[in-house]
Amino acid sequence: MKKMRTFKTSVAALALLTVAVTSGSAFASAGAPTPPKQDWSFSGLFGTFDRGAAQRGFQVYKEVCSACHSMNLLSYRHLAGIGFSEDEIKAIASSVEVTDGPDDEGEMFQRAGLPADRFAAPFPNTKAAAASNNGKAPPDLSLITKARGDGSNYVYALLTGYKDEIPHDVEVPEGGNYNAYFPGHVIAMAPPLSDDAVEYTDGTKATLDQHARDVVTFLTWAAEPEMEKRKTMGIKVLLFLLVLSGMLYAVKRQVWRDQH
Amino acid sequence: MSKQFKNPVLNWIEYRLPIFSFIDDSVGSGYPTPKNLNYWWNFGSLAGFVLVIMIASGIVLAMHYTAHVDYAFNSIERIMRDVNYGWLIRYIHMNGGSMFFIVVYIHLLRGMYYGSYKAPRELLWIIGVFILLAMMATAFMGYVLPWGQMSFWGATVITNLFSAIPIVGDSIVTLLWGGFSVDNPTLNRFFSLHYLMPFVIVGLVVVHLWALHEHKSNNPLGVDIKGEQDLIPFHPYFTSKDLYGMAVFMMFFMFFVFFAPNFFGEPDNYIPANPLATPPHIVPEWYFLPYYAILRAFTKDFFLYWPVAWLITAKLAGVIAMFSSILLLLLLPWLDGSKVRSSKFRPYYAMAFWVFVIDCLVLGYVGGKPAEGTFIVIGQIATAYYFAHLVIIIPLVSRLERPKPIPESISAAVTAAHAKQAGE
């Protein structure tokens, strides 16, 4: 009976842990308000990326964010992960010019982008990026949702957190913008999104909220492209281990029967 | 000595290299084990199991990793994105570090609760403390390898601690860095040592097991083995029990790998290292937080610092205290003067033990918070208590407390328990 209790305790501990983990990171950062929890297609143990939202999010990134923000860790071929077809990827890649070389004469040359190329960056290097942006380079967005605490909710809160009414205890200097969720509340980035910032081809209503949701879905995928595979495999692994534990427990009881 | 088999090939090998009897005497039916071990005794074999997982996953990661400041971060992201199942191997290795410390801390606390460090197992315990130290060095250097912001700034803060040592401090820091700041030579030597240290740990584990096999496992009653009636063979009893424990533990481990892989990590480490931008809060990994709290407790107005204030800086006092917090454990077999091992028969020691566990948790909590306001005071009180437990409470309680009567032998206690159960 005692053994059974031990087993039950471990199961209960595991369940408790699930609650603790899914209800948010234990190490939330201080200094800015906690971003409200959003209902994401990719949250939860079975969550997957909403392909439509991720593709629209890519459009938002391409047409708005990519003017300042690079995504150096991604190649165009990776876009297959959010449902773009091979031809679509080729078309997207070929829309940019890439410097390649040196060729047999030792010269660098320009060519159309290929699926294997990295996302074209807006600036040749971080110094150039800083020089064009009041001395501070806009961060690369490849990992942005993993590089901030509670990243997806935070980026969404940030993108929708520009308020016209500035609380009087916050001083916003020249070239700064007030943002309710940015640590310190003064952010260099001007409000990037607004209603109808991007014209969606699939007929989705182009509101600020929609843009923010879509681009966060895209960025979360970009930071964790393995997530769907990870969760599907995880369910199988845990189920397997559950059965294995049960069987090994039975073996253990059988072996120990003459000792009890 | 050597075994006899029906199979002539096995006999041929056994006659020349008695490996089968060696295995059997180590983890087989030839190794007698106290019959009353509870589930807390699973954590030793679990630790060995995690060590193997760490070495296996680490060797694969090293095949794809580039130890250079310009490529390290991106090479890890290549593992995450383009290497087949690279994300799985890396998340196993990343979370495996935390799992290793969870398992080893439980293993260590089990030893403290049941008095496993006492004669004749003092060396077994001491080797264990060395294993913990080797693990810490390995984990610290491993955390530097992704070359994220926390890697870089953690390395900077921790290596800088050595500069507090008088006269030779700065030279030691230069030697650790391989230059005048944390840079490419630092990353290279850390990678080299991070690959070396696990095998040092394996060596220490072999010696740890050697010492263990000499006097066998301690047990929940803490009484000596009196004879055959107290023992059961390791195989199949504890092989089956350990395997069951491993499967349950794997559920815990794999839950994090697949569903919360970055739970134990810091978001800042997904930002590439930038020597020009200091993160607002530099915190070590969770398993170092209690020591970090002890380190930071030593300020000019901390009363434990006053007696040595004329001699050394508060920083040096903090560094010494941090290292002593672990090194003091080496003396535990002699700090504890009680002849009785198990806390089951030492109610006051048991109480002190649980307060100590809570104190360590408080230290860990404070270590993760910014050093300001009440956190400083709480950290200082918890630090003072940590040392008071080891050098005052344990020596006094163990010498003053009158333990409850201990059972004659393991089998006598087991039989009595069964009789009681049957009577109910």
Side-chain angles (χ1 to χ4, degrees), chain A residues 3 7 17 21 45 73 77-78 142-143 146-148 222 226 230 233-234 241 245 248-249 255-256 258-259, chain B residues 39 74 77 81-82 85 87 91 232 237-238 243-244 247 251 256 258-262 267 270-271 418:
Chain A
K3 297 285 140 33
F7 182 71
L17 214 104
V21 172
L45 299 190
L73 297 174
R77 67 185 163 84
H78 287 142
S142 315
L143 284 166
K146 268 166 117 179
R148 301 289 182 273
E226 87 297 341
R230 174 158 59 80
M233 194 195 252
L241 285 171
S245 301
L248 285 171
Y249 182 65
V255 168
W256 281 75
D258 60 344
Q259 292 293 327
Chain B
Y39 275 98
N74 286 345
E77 278 304 317
R81 290 158 192 273
D82 292 334
Y85 294 103
W87 56 268
Y91 277 155
I232 46 175
Y237 290 103
F238 289 100
L243 279 173
Y244 165 56
M251 272 199 278
F256 284 101
F258 288 103
F259 295 104
N262 294 299
Y270 281 108
I271 304 170
H418 279 190

Side-chain angles (χ1 to χ4, degrees), chain A residues 24 53 87-88 114 117 166 173 186 240:
Chain A
D87 291 334
E88 285 171 318
L114 295 167
D117 285 322
I166 301 167
V186 179
F240 167 78

Side-chain angles (χ1 to χ4, degrees), chain A residues 87-120:
Chain A
D87 291 334
E88 285 171 318
I89 292 172
K90 275 185 186 153
I92 291 166
S94 63
S95 70
V96 298
E97 279 237 312
V98 178
T99 309
D100 202 349
D103 62 12
D104 291 346
E105 272 74 49
E107 304 292 331
M108 303 303 278
F109 59 92
Q110 297 292 112
R111 62 162 173 79
L114 295 167
D117 285 322
R118 298 291 172 118
F119 278 19

Side-chain angles (χ1 to χ4, degrees), chain B residues 349-390:
Chain B
Y349 174 84
M351 249 188 284
F353 168 84
W354 287 113
V355 177
F356 178 69
V357 172
I358 293 166
D359 186 61
C360 290
L361 294 176
V362 170
L363 280 171
Y365 176 76
V366 172
K369 294 284 168 192
E372 56 197 28
T374 46
F375 289 128
I376 298 179
V377 183
I378 299 171
Q380 290 178 336
I381 295 169
T383 299
Y385 187 83
Y386 183 96
F387 289 106
H389 175 82
L390 290 176

Side-chain angles (χ1 to χ4, degrees), chain A residues 110-151:
Chain A
Q110 297 292 112
R111 62 162 173 79
L114 295 167
D117 285 322
R118 298 291 172 118
F119 278 19
F123 301 102
N125 52 59
T126 41
K127 289 245 168 82
S132 310
N133 288 283
N134 290 325
K136 205 165 179 303
D140 184 271
L141 295 184
S142 315
L143 284 166
I144 201 74
T145 60
K146 268 166 117 179
R148 301 289 182 273
D150 195 13

